[in-house]
Amino acid sequence: MDGLLTLSNELAAAVEHAGRAVFGVNARPRLGSAGVHWRSGLIVTADHTVQVDEEVTVTCPDGREVTATVAGRDPAIDIAILKVDAPDVAVADVGDSDAVRVGHIVLAVGPGPRASWGVVSAIGAGRSARSAAGELLSLDLTLYPGFSGGPLVNAQGQVIGVNSSGTSRHLQLAIPSAAVTRVVDELVRRGRLARPYLGVGTQPVSLPEALRQRFSLEQQTAVIVVAVQPSSPAASAGLLMGDIIVSLGGTSITDPGDLASVLRPDQVGEDMTVSVLRGGEPRDIRITVGERPRRP
């Protein structure tokens, strides 16, 4: 009994500790969301809950309402970053998401604070749990309305991820803190979040069994290039219509969504290897990841 009481008190303390850095975010009709004060003046939240670019208001942990601006977005991993002037609000105690193991007790924290607790049920299990963020954390807990964008917290009150119900319709997931920090670092370094792109249009295609055996391919599908944008990274690298892309940067590509999932803002300007089948023969092509042009 004493052990249960100790655990209960420790979890309550973890919620209190994390809750000092949790904002309410008002950036969509009717239902708000949560945000984490990741660094001084920068709030991280779930991108799918930020449906406006202006007139964003956030509610501080003490109930004050202040304005915020959208500093950057990374829709590929469902992260948006808001800039706010709230120097008196605590900054999150960010933990090491790489140390998280299946079975660890975790808490989802929302504004208020409110809390839900459970365990990490899987790490990167299934296609829906893999993205540009790496291996997402699958959770056996309830993300109540308004919890998206809030912190996933370990038993010590450290933030090990950002909760998102927008990355899957059927799973409760969290974006690992390591991936979130990488996006925040990129924003601080560049002053904005670049949108990586290759400049190809693709469609899924099945790989014949004979072809898979010949080239020792485990995947059953890949993507075929059906369009190459002029002056794009793909065009400069020599990708052609009809090329079948089987991997990018060593990651298997099984459908068009995988291409977007592999690319990260911090890879803009970097060279990657795209492995293709051209005329039934394998070929590795070096491609420099470009930044998607901004609309005028």
Side-chain angles (χ1 to χ4, degrees), residues 10 12 31 35 52 60 65 72 76 87 96 117 151 155 164-165 175 204 213 230 239 241 247 271:
E10 289 177 348
L31 180 62
V52 296
C60 299
E65 191 169 280
D96 181 9
W117 79 292
S164 174
S165 59
I175 304 152
Q213 290 185 359
L239 278 173
M241 291 179 58
S247 71
D271 288 343

Side-chain angles (χ1 to χ4, degrees), residues 118-285:
V119 299
V120 175
S121 59
I123 299 176
R127 284 185 43 77
S128 60
R130 295 196 301 271
S131 77
E135 293 187 325
L136 301 182
L137 307 177
S138 298
L139 312 173
D140 186 7
L141 52 69
T142 300
L143 292 181
Y144 293 108
F147 271 41
S148 274
L152 182 72
V153 177
N154 63 19
Q156 289 76 46
Q158 296 174 321
V159 177
I160 54 173
V162 171
N163 300 312
S164 174
S165 59
T167 52
S168 172
R169 294 182 179 181
H170 308 293
L171 297 174
Q172 311 295 321
L173 299 172
I175 304 152
S177 59
V180 177
T181 295
R182 188 173 62 233
V183 173
V184 174
D185 286 345
E186 180 70 8
L187 175 67
V188 172
R189 184 170 71 90
R190 291 178 179 262
R192 58 188 171 82
L193 288 178
R195 297 181 62 198
Y197 93 121
L198 302 181
V200 292
T202 61
Q203 292 182 353
V205 62
S206 297
L207 297 175
E209 180 65 26
L211 195 66
R212 292 172 55 210
Q213 290 185 359
R214 180 182 174 191
F215 299 116
S216 301
L217 298 173
E218 295 184 2
Q219 65 203 77
Q220 297 184 359
T221 60
V223 298
I224 186 170
V225 176
V226 296
V228 179
Q229 297 178 14
S231 303
S232 67
S236 299
L239 278 173
L240 303 176
M241 291 179 58
D243 283 346
I244 297 175
I245 299 175
V246 295
S247 71
L248 176 62
T251 299
S252 297
I253 303 298
T254 60
D255 66 39
D258 287 345
L259 284 176
S261 296
V262 168
L263 298 174
R264 306 189 310 264
D266 62 347
Q267 292 172 319
V268 170
E270 293 186 3
D271 288 343
M272 299 183 73
T273 297
V274 55
S275 297
V276 305
L277 297 175
R278 179 179 292 176
E281 295 297 326
R283 180 175 298 195
D284 287 340
I285 298 173

Side-chain angles (χ1 to χ4, degrees), residues 41-120:
L42 296 178
I43 298 172
V44 169
T45 188
D47 180 69
H48 78 276
T49 70
V50 182
Q51 299 177 2
V52 296
D53 290 317
E54 299 177 353
E55 298 183 356
V56 177
T57 61
V58 295
T59 304
C60 299
D62 62 6
R64 288 176 298 132
E65 191 169 280
V66 297
T67 59
T69 57
V70 179
R73 297 175 181 267
D74 189 352
I77 69 170
D78 196 29
I79 286 295
I81 303 174
L82 309 177
K83 189 172 291 186
V84 65
D85 183 14
D88 54 339
V89 177
V91 174
D93 180 6
V94 179
D96 181 9
S97 57
D98 292 336
V100 177
R101 295 164 54 195
V102 173
H104 273 167
I105 293 175
V106 288
L107 300 124
V109 180
R114 296 183 293 153
S116 171
W117 79 292
V119 299
V120 175

